[in-house]
């Protein structure tokens, strides 16, 4: 039994009809990248021994995600400019704006930190919760990306587990560094 699904279009399916409902490969990449970025930032910003201040931490997570998404989108623009003519086009602006999933992926972490600002829990609890949430989300996004790529459930779960391993490494590093 092959582990890779057949990519041939089913008879009677309209061209591109299934593709429109599936997220683009770049969106999945950006979401996974955003989750890793948010986890690393929230772990790094969690200062032990210092006064807890989750509000600025949340702001730094958002600003860093915006800067990373803009830099990644602009890198696409530079690559396109190098391979084509030098004229600025709307398609190049779309390349930059297409990085929105990276920013969207950090929003749960920001929400959890803002919960600490509201006094619902401590910053340490918010950091721990964000790290666990992001690690579980990495498994989900990694599994989903592999399923969309046509892999079967066993391989998809292995891919999700490898993505989740990144989150676990960040949790372990946060524990050892603190």
């Amino acid at each position: 039994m092959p582990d890779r699904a057949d990519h041939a279009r089913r008879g009677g399916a309209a061209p591109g009809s299934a593709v429109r409902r599936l997220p683009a490969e770049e969106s999945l990449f950006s979401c996974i990248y955003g989750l890793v970025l948010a986890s690393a930032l929230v772990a790094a910003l969690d200062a032990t021994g210092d006064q807890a201040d989750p509000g600025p931490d949340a702001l730094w997570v958002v600003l860093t995600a915006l800067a990373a998404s803009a830099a990644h989108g602009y890198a696409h623009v530079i690559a396109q400019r190098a391979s084509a003519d030098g004229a600025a086009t709307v398609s190049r602006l779309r390349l930059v704006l297409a990085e929105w999933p990276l920013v969207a992926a950090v929003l749960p972490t920001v929400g959890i930190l803002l919960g600490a600002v509201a006094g619902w829990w401590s910053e340490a609890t918010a950091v721990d919760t964000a790290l666990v949430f992001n690690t579980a989300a990495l498994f989900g996004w990694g599994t989903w990306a592999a399923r969309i790529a046509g892999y079967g459930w066993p391989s998809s779960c292995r891919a999700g587990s490898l993505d989740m391993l990144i989150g676990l490494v960040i949790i372990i590093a946060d524990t050892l560094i603190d």
Side-chain angles (χ1 to χ4, degrees):
M1 169 188 260
D3 195 28
R4 189 117 161 112
D6 182 13
H7 287 293
R9 190 175 6 176
R10 309 253 186 260
S17 62
V19 176
R20 283 189 208 114
R21 287 182 286 212
L22 300 177
E25 179 181 316
E26 294 82 16
S27 295
L28 291 168
F29 164 80
S30 291
C31 286
I32 291 169
Y33 184 79
L35 287 168
V36 171
L37 180 69
S39 294
L41 282 169
V42 78
L45 292 170
D46 178 32
T48 56
D50 292 337
Q51 183 179 352
D53 204 355
D57 290 353
L59 182 60
W60 273 113
V61 171
V62 170
L63 291 176
T64 304
L66 286 169
S69 69
H72 193 256
Y74 188 64
H76 283 296
V77 170
I78 291 171
Q80 187 184 54
R81 187 180 305 147
S83 66
D85 65 6
T89 63
V90 173
S91 68
R92 293 193 179 142
L93 177 60
R94 285 187 188 128
L95 284 173
V96 175
L97 296 177
E99 295 298 323
W100 69 265
L102 189 153
V103 177
V106 305
L107 294 180
T109 299
V110 171
I112 292 168
L113 287 171
L114 292 177
V117 171
W120 297 342
W121 45 70
S122 69
E123 183 183 28
T125 301
V127 168
D128 293 344
T129 302
L131 290 173
V132 169
F133 174 86
N134 290 346
T135 301
L138 281 167
F139 174 80
W141 279 105
T143 302
W144 188 22
R147 290 292 297 156
I148 286 172
Y151 289 91
W153 280 107
S155 290
S156 296
C157 287
R158 279 193 302 272
S161 295
L162 287 174
D163 285 354
M164 184 176 74
L165 186 59
I166 298 167
L168 292 174
V169 166
I170 292 170
I171 290 172
I172 292 167
D174 184 48
T175 303
L176 293 175
I177 292 171
D178 283 348

